[in-house]
Amino acid sequence: MGASLLPPPAFLAVFLFSFVTLSVNPEPALAVSKHYKFDVMLQNVTRLCHTKSMVTVNGKFPGPRIVAREGDRLVIRVVNHVQNNISIHWHGIRQLRSGWADGPAYVTQCPIQTGQSYVYNYTIVGQRGTLWWHAHISWLRSTLYGPIILLPKLGTTYPFAKPYKEVPIIFGEWFNADPEAIINQAMQTGGGPNVSDAYTINGLPGPLYNCSAKDTFKLKVKLGKTYLLRMINAALNDELFFSIANHTVTVVDVDAVYVKPFDAETLLITPGQTTNVLLKTKHDYPNAQFFMSARPYATGQGTFDNSTVAGILEYEVPNKTSQSNHSTKKLPLYKPNLPPLNDTSFATNFSSKLRSLASADYPANVPQKVDRQFVFTVGLGTNPCSKNQTCQGPNGTRFAASVNNVSFVMPTTALLQAHHFGQSKGVYSPYFPVSPLIPFNYTGTPPNNTMVSNGTKLVVLPFNTSVELIMQDTSILGAESHPLHLHGFNFFVVGQSFGNFDPSKDPANFNLVDPVERNTVGVPSGGWVAIRFLADNPGVWFMHCHLEVHTSWGLKMAWVVLDGKLPNQKLLPPPADLPKC
């Protein structure tokens, strides 16, 4: 999973360019430009005794890791060598005034077509921790993903003890079939898509699946050391519980924001989220191996991959133990106790422990006043079946999903271009509903009519608007947890609970002091979550459920943040190589 840096001569040029940049402009604390090349190409990969040709970056699965320091500029050239249209999203990167590099297809760019390339160029501002990159078109992120490791500025330390070693752990899903064929079939029939055949850790399913023991991620550790595990949930459609048998970890960072450390035996990570934890290894040799296991947290009515992925935590044998008498094959293997599949109380309890560090060095700048308040219902619904077709959704309909009963229709022109060049007419409407048009008992008995409306509607915000957004789950076709991801911003999770949001009572309990700050949050199953953010980043910003099937069905929308008055408050012009539709 090493980074695909440029070959030596180009690297030298980059080094000289960086050196020149620093010599001429010594102000930034040794910020540099880091260059990567992503060749999107087909590669044969074998898992579960099943070989298939799949879309990869540089032939790797998962893809290469990107490493940068806070303040660095990343210049990543993506070249498309496959038949699919491609775009790459740098998940969680703020993209301040660099919306053209955000990556969701038909939102901030047209996709990169076969034989074409595009350079994503952006600077890391005020972020450090773990993020990730992934394809952002159809279901291609099932194989196109990798870690983004953001180190603190040189001379800056972590707000916790320096770890002995850092290890990315990225969860994914493996499909024996082609995921593109799976979602295409589901969209044609209106039914639910087939589920994955396995979960993976760093691309490996592990020993609990048939024909997979050799494809097991092993973490070999030394006694009495502290390891920083950089954990990413890149699975397409499943929130995951994770635990290491007989070990406790300390949570120190989520979504590249430091949190008040707390100990946990089990973590919950939704698709899109990252969690950094410290693992302190045992001081005495344990004479055992330990499973590191993950399995889904599932709340919906639909089918899901009810399997468990495992890696192995293995201790190095200390020198004083006779190596010849030692064989890992004979060691007992301990398994962790993971919560039940639908353990919403565990999920709630875990998320309630997350708090911003809110220190002098890392303040929690929670908007204390609110300029605009929105209430968005999120959930499933239906669309009518086409004439002369039999559909496999509820009662012969097609599955759909919506925000405020608007199922988002993807345009064929990129929204950011339409906005920037004043050509929005016929591409999108600026009149997204700010609250549900027809209020009902959202988490009670669902209404008989489950049909959604369909359209491309956006919310327009003046620059520097402070926003409070209540996201309310609905029980239409079953209450379900929805991990919602907002592009272009971090937000503060100021409140959450079950049932229907009560505007007269619930805000009194909001945490405006040290709420967790992140880019992806689970809307509780049968409940609501309240977030606040400052719209200080001009551009068009996608917001969607990170369960890919729900995004395919329309659980998505977008915000337009207008330019401010000052030069540094305006979106930069598009790059010359911006892909064309």
Side-chain angles (χ1 to χ4, degrees):
M1 274 177 41
S4 166
L5 285 162
L6 295 175
F11 174 77
L12 191 63
V14 170
F15 175 78
L16 290 171
F17 167 72
S18 303
F19 180 76
V20 170
T21 309
L22 299 175
S23 310
V24 176
N25 181 13
E27 271 302 297
L30 293 175
V32 298
S33 291
K34 302 199 70 174
H35 292 244
Y36 289 83
K37 187 180 179 203
F38 276 21
D39 283 302
V40 179
M41 56 194 281
L42 290 175
Q43 179 73 33
N44 281 346
V45 179
T46 304
R47 299 288 186 270
L48 312 182
C49 279
H50 190 96
T51 301
K52 66 175 184 176
S53 173
M54 65 191 210
V55 183
T56 66
V57 167
N58 300 347
K60 297 181 175 178
F61 172 67
R65 71 180 69 167
I66 286 173
V67 183
R69 290 196 179 274
E70 182 185 343
D72 285 355
R73 185 167 75 108
L74 282 167
V75 182
I76 304 164
R77 183 166 179 248
V78 177
V79 186
N80 184 7
H81 303 281
V82 299
Q83 292 304 306
N84 310 71
N85 283 347
I86 294 294
S87 74
I88 305 283
H89 170 50
W90 318 93
H91 183 112
I93 300 283
R94 284 288 317 271
Q95 298 293 3
L96 289 162
R97 300 175 61 218
S98 57
W100 305 105
D102 191 42
Y106 302 107
V107 178
T108 58
Q109 67 168 96
C110 299
I112 306 164
Q113 297 179 28
T114 307
Q116 302 292 307
S117 68
Y118 180 45
V119 176
Y120 292 91
N121 185 337
Y122 54 90
T123 301
I124 310 299
V125 180
Q127 294 183 278
R128 76 298 297 167
T130 305
L131 294 171
W132 62 299
W133 59 264
H134 61 81
H136 212 306
I137 181 167
S138 190
W139 277 25
L140 285 167
R141 78 172 177 87
S142 59
T143 61
L144 285 177
Y145 62 84
I148 300 176
I149 293 165
L150 300 180
L151 302 169
K153 287 179 181 171
L154 279 173
T156 309
T157 57
Y158 294 123
F160 44 81
K162 187 179 189 309
Y164 168 72
K165 196 174 178 186
E166 304 186 4
V167 183
I169 292 184
I170 187 160
F171 302 106
E173 284 182 272
W174 169 266
F175 294 81
N176 285 335
D178 174 10
E180 289 298 277
I182 290 174
I183 186 57
N184 289 341
Q185 181 191 24
M187 296 306 284
Q188 282 170 359
T189 65
N194 291 341
V195 300
S196 54
D197 295 282
Y199 298 106
T200 57
I201 296 177
N202 292 350
L204 303 171
L208 300 181
Y209 295 101
N210 286 338
C211 192
S212 186
K214 71 179 191 312
D215 291 324
T216 300
F217 173 70
K218 288 190 175 173
L219 177 57
K220 294 188 175 171
V221 296
K222 295 180 188 283
L223 293 173
K225 300 288 188 186
T226 298
Y227 291 78
L228 179 67
L229 307 184
R230 296 174 170 273
M231 314 192 67
I232 301 162
N233 186 352
L236 271 191
N237 289 313
D238 292 277
E239 307 183 56
L240 295 170
F241 293 124
F242 173 80
S243 183
I244 304 174
N246 296 22
H247 288 72
T248 299
V249 296
T250 305
V251 179
V252 292
D253 178 305
V254 297
D255 291 2
V257 181
Y258 295 131
V259 295
K260 291 185 171 74
F262 68 92
D263 292 342
E265 290 179 3
T266 302
L267 310 173
L268 173 66
I269 312 181
T270 78
Q273 290 182 342
T274 67
T275 305
N276 282 5
V277 301
L278 296 176
L279 168 68
K280 290 191 170 87
T281 59
K282 298 178 186 296
H283 287 281
D284 298 316
Y285 185 71
N287 269 317
Q289 293 181 305
F290 305 93
F291 265 158
M292 309 185 295
S293 303
R295 78 168 182 215
Y297 163 54
T299 53
Q301 311 279 320
T303 53
F304 60 95
D305 179 352
N306 180 10
S307 65
T308 302
V309 62
I312 294 176
L313 181 70
E314 199 173 271
Y315 278 78
E316 282 188 21
V317 184
N319 290 333
K320 61 181 185 247
T321 307
S322 169
Q323 296 277 356
S324 58
N325 297 338
H326 190 83
S327 166
T328 56
K329 286 188 175 143
K330 296 176 191 156
L331 291 177
L333 185 56
Y334 290 102
K335 296 182 180 181
N337 289 320
L338 289 164
L341 292 163
N342 61 351
D343 196 340
T344 293
S345 64
F346 176 92
T348 308
N349 191 29
F350 179 80
S351 56
S352 70
K353 291 177 186 169
L354 294 166
R355 291 272 190 275
S356 285
L357 210 48
S359 64
D361 289 334
Y362 304 103
N365 296 316
V366 191
Q368 298 294 312
K369 66 171 186 63
V370 173
D371 299 322
R372 299 281 308 273
Q373 191 190 46
F374 301 87
V375 178
F376 287 0
T377 55
V378 295
L380 303 186
T382 56
N383 269 321
C385 195
S386 312
K387 282 181 180 172
N388 306 322
Q389 190 191 357
T390 307
C391 289
Q392 295 173 3
N395 300 318
T397 61
R398 311 174 65 85
F399 271 112
S402 67
V403 182
N404 273 352
N405 208 47
V406 179
S407 188
F408 193 85
V409 177
M410 290 303 274
T412 52
T413 304
L415 297 171
L416 185 59
Q417 281 166 281
H419 159 66
H420 183 71
F421 294 110
Q423 298 167 342
S424 64
K425 192 170 182 192
V427 179
Y428 67 84
S429 150
Y431 304 115
F432 188 89
V434 299
S435 58
L437 296 177
I438 305 172
F440 61 98
N441 182 1
Y442 307 115
T443 53
T445 305
N448 292 329
N449 182 6
T450 60
M451 292 291 173
V452 299
S453 67
N454 300 277
T456 310
K457 299 182 180 183
L458 280 65
V459 172
V460 180
L461 296 170
F463 184 81
N464 255 0
T465 303
S466 60
V467 173
E468 180 177 281
L469 169 60
I470 314 298
M471 292 186 281
Q472 172 75 59
D473 185 33
T474 73
S475 54
I476 297 173
L477 302 184
E480 188 167 357
S481 175
H482 297 279
L484 261 290
H485 171 49
L486 175 62
H487 290 229
F489 300 93
N490 282 347
F491 50 75
F492 292 95
V493 184
V494 296
Q496 66 176 60
S497 190
F498 294 105
N500 299 334
F501 175 72
D502 185 336
S504 62
K505 292 180 184 169
D506 289 324
N509 298 317
F510 283 178
N511 174 7
L512 303 180
V513 178
D514 64 348
V516 69
E517 180 185 349
R518 57 189 328 164
N519 63 59
T520 306
V521 67
V523 179
S525 177
W528 56 269
V529 65
I531 66 171
R532 287 188 180 184
F533 66 95
L534 185 65
D536 59 354
N537 192 6
V540 176
W541 304 109
F542 207 24
M543 190 175 85
H544 59 96
C545 184
H546 228 276
L547 302 178
E548 210 61 36
V549 60
H550 292 172
T551 294
S552 301
W553 288 340
L555 211 168
K556 49 197 174 185
M557 55 81 64
W559 308 79
V560 179
V561 178
L562 302 175
D563 282 349
K565 294 192 172 89
L566 302 175
N568 66 350
Q569 297 173 340
K570 296 182 191 304
L571 178 70
L572 294 169
D577 65 339
L578 188 72
K580 294 178 170 55
C581 284

